Amino acid sequence: MKLIIASDHGGYSLKEAIIKHLRSKDMDCVDIGVTSEDSVDYPDFAEEVAAKVSTGEVDRGILVCGTGIGMAITANKFKGVRAAVVTDEFTARMSREHNDANVIALGGRVLNNDVALNIVNAWLETEFSGGRHERRLQKIQQIETKNFK
Ligand code: RB5
């Protein structure tokens, strides 16, 4: 699975912990920044990740800001991106089983590292359930097609 990750200053420390965790499991993850806690604008980083997920250049993206909210709002402006703000293992699992979320957005000022790493594990391990959820995703896609020119 091709993974990409980015954060703003509010998510920098958690992003670094996630990368270390993934590498300890021999999982590669392209890191597009940030590289310090200097203040930046989260849409710039969400845009780069979401664009690559949208075109299929990568399979999934992880975005971290202070709350995860701004990153998810931005990422969901891209066709085919289903970005979920996830706060625990349950929502992480549901975001995959029911929503086939291809991006998760985490809050570096919301989650402690242990919870966040468990969220990442659950999100990576859980498959989309399909069935009735497939029909609902198709409806989302139709709305996208109608509204995104
Ligand atoms: C930056 O201060 C903060 O607004 C950002 O990290 C994020 O929480 C936005 O949703």
Side-chain angles (χ1 to χ4, degrees), residues 19-39:
I19 292 169
K20 197 169 155 204
H21 173 69
L22 292 173
R23 292 193 175 142
S24 78
K25 289 161 58 115
D26 278 334
M27 292 193 70
D28 196 25
C29 188
V30 176
D31 175 16
I32 58 152
V34 292
T35 55
S36 78
E37 286 184 342
D38 293 347
S39 184

Side-chain angles (χ1 to χ4, degrees), residues 5 9-10 14 18 27 62 64 75 111 135 141 143 146 148:
I5 190 165
H9 50 288
L14 177 55
I18 293 170
M27 292 193 70
I62 300 175
V64 195
L111 302 168
R135 183 181 70 240
Q141 203 175 22
I143 292 168
K146 225 171 26 187
F148 286 6

Side-chain angles (χ1 to χ4, degrees), residues 89-138:
E89 274 186 65
F90 177 72
T91 52
R93 243 179 268 114
M94 287 302 103
S95 80
R96 292 288 313 135
E97 284 182 17
H98 289 195
N99 314 108
D100 198 15
N102 47 18
V103 172
I104 45 165
L106 304 175
R109 296 174 182 155
V110 179
L111 302 168
N112 74 44
N113 283 9
D114 288 345
V115 171
L117 299 183
N118 287 334
I119 284 173
V120 169
N121 288 343
W123 180 72
L124 288 171
E125 286 161 12
T126 307
E127 296 296 326
F128 176 50
S129 301
R132 66 187 187 282
H133 302 294
E134 183 62 57
R135 183 181 70 240
R136 292 161 186 166
L137 290 196
Q138 278 167 14

